[in-house]
Amino acid sequence: MPNVSLCDPVDHTREEEREVLVTGQPRISTYFAQAAPWRGHSSLTFTGEEVGRYGLSSTVGGIILILLVSYRPPQAGQPPARKVLTRHNLPASEGAWSLELASLTSGSLNCVPGKQMKKKTKSPALRLASWNVRTMRSRLTDDLQAMDDARKTAVIDHELNRLNIDIAALQETRLPERGSLKEKHFTFFWQGKGTEDVREHGVGFAVRHTLLPMIEPPTDDTERILKLRLSSMQGSVNLVCVYAPTLQASVEVKDQFYESLDAIVNNIPEVEHIYLLGDFNARVGADRESWPTVLGHHGIGKMNENGQRLLELCCYRKLCVTNTYFQNKACHKVSWRHPRSKHWHQLDMIITKHDSLNNVCNTRSYQSADCDTDHSLVATRVKLTPKKLHHSKRKGQPRINISKTAYREKNIEFNEQLEKNLNTAHRKAEQNAQDSWNSLRNAIYSTAVLTYGKKERKNNNWFEARITEMEPVIDAKRSALLSDNIQQASDSGNIRAMYEGIKQATGKSTKKTAPIKSKTGEAITDKDKQMG
């Protein structure tokens, strides 16, 4: 016989209800039953007589159905029963099986009659990420557009799109100076050292194409810090890409970096959001007791020197490390493995204001992201709704009055003046194709404006400008049209149309009533009183 485990509730003073879990069958089902004979037993084995007595012989689809006696649905204030939905009170007699059971896999488990659970709607969220890509340079050439199959930005674009990232902060791009590049799904912005300097460090952003109208160009650019401004329904959002010095860097370099980062954070208004995304090369540890306003309950590892510098900055500026506030798997808390000790550490972090922590849904690392780097991608989901920026419309150049091209003298003057301007442009130093085209275009336009002049804008209110001349003509035309319509209706015998035309021509008629004096000599103007 199958074993029946009885789970006694904590409160023994409530209804005689027991949760019976039937095992030993292809499926497991949970029901409620009044189990007075079974009280005090944690596991029972029923004999054939007991099976017949308690009605355990009934099975449906391989599931043993247990007798339910006098089951009452939960009243107001009581917790709803799980996995059971009843709409009727069961009779007290044995063998009563009139139940309406909900499917165990259904989402609605509320047993209160007539009440439905509210569907939770997901709030719009923005997915931000930080990724140390080690390099965005190609091994063959520095021109990213010239590479067809080995372009590093195309690989990063594919991985970010696969993980549904909206904006990613990139570190160690190793690209010179400032630039941008458009891929299939993202547009890349970067800032690095000069062309003659060593190709190291470098930071950048990868922004999804749909968010380009909602951002401002990156500013505060150095090879270690780059700031991007995003417009949202919740206010302006400042995204700062950070690549901090390593533990082996000199003290002067570290001091200079953290002073620059502190100045950027200080210049951001308090009402605006701020998110620091990057490779901080620091271990903040899990000592929440020492840093209660900066760290959460789910930190990892121990703090080092760079971590202390970062925690002091966060404590002073009321920032917090979002990586330590969410209970994730151990592999989702780390982002870099030491090459010699093989220990995993949390170096890539996402930091925000403590007041904005409620907007952060989760922060974790993704080990599946691959672009030939030893760092894992760290992503967060933030409750932000991007908003399109409204840019002022650029004033266009005045148009040329092309109507004067019909005059031969103007055309001869234009050709002579254009030839002089082109000769002056050719005397300058050699230029590339783009500069040559710009100089040719400007020469033609400026010569045409001087020769033919600017086109005057037509008056939009031409009707109002000539209304004094047009009003008599319009009135005469209206009178003639009305008289013709009245005559045609009269000739055809359409009396109704004839009178409508007369009313339209003469205007609305006013009804006049002559006053009548009453017996007392008062004037009566009301028509109803006059008739009465």
Side-chain angles (χ1 to χ4, degrees):
M1 293 300 296
N3 293 330
V4 181
S5 300
L6 304 181
C7 304
D8 293 340
V10 178
D11 188 4
H12 295 278
T13 62
R14 293 179 56 186
E15 298 291 338
E16 295 291 340
E17 296 175 355
R18 298 294 183 267
E19 187 179 29
V20 181
L21 180 65
V22 180
T23 58
Q25 295 297 327
R27 294 171 58 190
I28 298 176
S29 179
T30 303
Y31 301 100
F32 286 89
Q34 183 174 4
W38 308 333
R39 184 181 302 169
H41 299 277
S42 59
S43 179
L44 294 176
T45 302
F46 292 96
T47 62
E49 180 181 357
E50 292 173 337
V51 167
R53 176 183 176 185
Y54 294 110
L56 297 177
S57 58
S58 300
T59 59
V60 176
I63 304 175
I64 296 179
L65 299 180
I66 300 174
L67 175 63
L68 304 179
V69 181
S70 64
Y71 172 74
R72 297 179 181 178
Q75 303 300 318
Q78 297 181 356
R82 295 183 179 179
K83 301 183 180 179
V84 176
L85 176 61
T86 179
R87 299 185 185 276
H88 305 284
N89 291 332
L90 302 180
S93 61
E94 293 186 358
W97 297 92
S98 58
L99 280 178
E100 295 182 10
L101 299 178
S103 176
L104 297 178
T105 59
S106 64
S108 177
L109 302 176
N110 195 341
C111 58
V112 179
K115 185 176 181 181
Q116 297 181 354
M117 295 182 65
K118 295 181 180 180
K119 294 183 179 179
K120 294 184 178 180
T121 57
K122 291 185 177 181
S123 58
L126 193 69
R127 291 181 62 86
L128 308 177
S130 174
W131 202 6
N132 187 325
V133 296
R134 291 298 299 272
T135 182
M136 285 173 57
R137 293 182 59 193
S138 174
R139 296 181 180 180
L140 301 179
T141 176
D142 294 335
D143 188 5
L144 299 180
Q145 293 285 6
M147 300 304 300
D148 295 331
D149 52 353
R151 196 168 62 246
K152 186 69 173 288
T153 52
V155 178
I156 300 173
D157 177 271
H158 177 269
E159 290 296 310
L160 295 179
N161 182 66
R162 181 178 64 86
L163 296 175
N164 197 23
I165 302 298
D166 295 314
I167 300 178
L170 308 176
Q171 299 85 40
E172 282 198 89
T173 57
R174 300 177 188 268
L175 293 177
E177 298 180 347
R178 171 184 285 190
S180 63
L181 176 68
K182 187 175 182 180
E183 288 290 348
K184 184 178 181 181
H185 304 99
F186 290 84
T187 299
F188 292 83
F189 304 92
W190 68 82
Q191 176 65 39
K193 289 188 173 182
T195 308
E196 304 299 331
D197 297 333
V198 180
R199 298 294 177 83
E200 61 181 1
H201 312 324
V203 287
F205 280 101
V207 183
R208 193 174 288 273
H209 294 332
T210 55
L211 296 179
L212 290 178
M214 309 170 191
I215 67 169
E216 296 180 8
T219 56
D220 293 338
D221 46 355
T222 64
E223 68 274 9
R224 289 190 179 273
I225 301 176
L226 187 65
K227 189 177 76 172
L228 183 71
R229 191 180 178 89
L230 173 69
S231 176
S232 70
M233 300 296 292
Q234 292 77 17
S236 299
V237 182
N238 297 273
L239 307 176
V240 184
C241 180
V242 178
Y243 177 60
T246 59
L247 193 63
Q248 292 77 20
S250 62
V251 179
E252 293 78 9
V253 174
K254 295 180 183 179
D255 293 341
Q256 182 181 1
F257 167 77
Y258 280 100
E259 287 176 2
S260 302
L261 183 59
D262 180 70
I264 291 176
V265 175
N266 185 34
N267 292 333
I268 296 176
E270 294 184 1
V271 296
E272 297 184 1
H273 300 270
I274 179 173
Y275 291 90
L276 306 180
L277 311 99
D279 180 8
F280 290 89
N281 282 310
R283 288 182 285 173
V284 295
D287 190 5
R288 175 177 169 78
E289 294 181 359
S290 301
W291 309 91
T293 60
V294 180
L295 299 180
H297 295 277
H298 307 286
I300 190 171
K302 297 182 180 180
M303 180 182 64
N304 61 0
E305 180 186 352
N306 286 0
Q308 184 174 359
R309 286 175 176 266
L310 180 59
L311 291 176
E312 290 176 356
L313 173 65
C314 293
C315 185
Y316 181 68
R317 294 299 176 185
K318 298 180 181 180
L319 304 175
C320 59
V321 182
T322 62
N323 305 56
T324 62
Y325 281 85
F326 301 96
Q327 186 178 5
N328 295 316
K329 295 181 180 179
C331 61
H332 295 162
K333 296 181 180 180
V334 293
S335 60
W336 179 76
R337 189 177 70 167
H338 197 279
R340 291 189 297 274
S341 65
K342 307 300 180 182
H343 291 169
W344 284 90
H345 302 286
Q346 187 184 61
L347 302 183
D348 304 84
M349 286 169 277
I350 298 177
I351 301 174
T352 185
K353 290 182 179 180
H354 198 275
D355 298 338
S356 303
L357 190 60
N358 293 334
N359 296 331
V360 182
C361 301
N362 189 19
T363 301
R364 52 157 292 189
S365 60
Y366 290 85
Q367 311 293 344
S368 62
D370 183 22
C371 70
D372 194 17
T373 178
D374 59 347
H375 285 256
S376 301
L377 182 140
V378 177
T380 183
R381 193 158 55 92
V382 186
K383 296 178 183 178
L384 292 175
T385 306
K387 183 179 66 173
K388 187 176 181 181
L389 287 172
H390 295 280
H391 300 281
S392 59
K393 212 170 185 180
R394 188 178 179 182
K395 189 176 181 180
Q397 294 180 341
R399 296 185 178 183
I400 303 170
N401 189 4
I402 59 175
S403 61
K404 294 184 178 181
T405 55
Y407 300 102
R408 183 179 178 183
E409 297 80 5
K410 292 289 183 181
N411 295 336
I412 296 175
E413 181 182 354
F414 172 77
N415 293 334
E416 294 176 354
Q417 190 65 28
L418 179 61
E419 187 176 356
K420 293 179 181 179
N421 294 339
L422 293 178
N423 292 334
T424 305
H426 285 307
R427 293 194 191 98
K428 296 182 179 179
E430 295 183 359
Q431 301 173 342
N432 54 24
Q434 184 66 31
D435 295 339
S436 300
W437 159 245
N438 292 337
S439 60
L440 177 61
R441 180 192 59 191
N442 296 336
I444 295 175
Y445 177 78
S446 59
T447 306
V449 171
L450 292 175
T451 306
Y452 300 111
K454 300 177 183 179
K455 186 178 181 180
E456 295 181 359
R457 186 177 181 181
K458 292 183 178 180
N459 186 11
N460 294 329
N461 300 326
W462 59 270
F463 184 82
E464 295 180 1
R466 299 185 178 182
I467 189 63
T468 56
E469 302 176 5
M470 298 179 64
E471 268 187 346
V473 180
I474 294 174
D475 294 339
K477 185 176 180 181
R478 184 184 297 111
S479 302
L481 182 60
L482 289 174
S483 60
D484 293 342
N485 294 337
I486 294 171
Q487 187 63 37
Q488 291 178 3
S490 178
D491 296 341
S492 61
N494 191 352
I495 306 301
R496 182 175 182 179
M498 182 184 69
Y499 278 106
E500 287 181 355
I502 294 173
K503 289 180 180 180
Q504 189 176 2
T506 58
K508 295 182 179 181
S509 59
T510 56
K511 296 181 179 180
K512 298 181 180 180
T513 56
I516 301 176
K517 290 185 178 182
S518 63
K519 294 180 180 180
T520 59
E522 296 179 358
I524 302 175
T525 56
D526 190 358
K527 188 176 181 181
D528 296 335
K529 293 181 179 181
Q530 291 177 357
M531 297 298 295

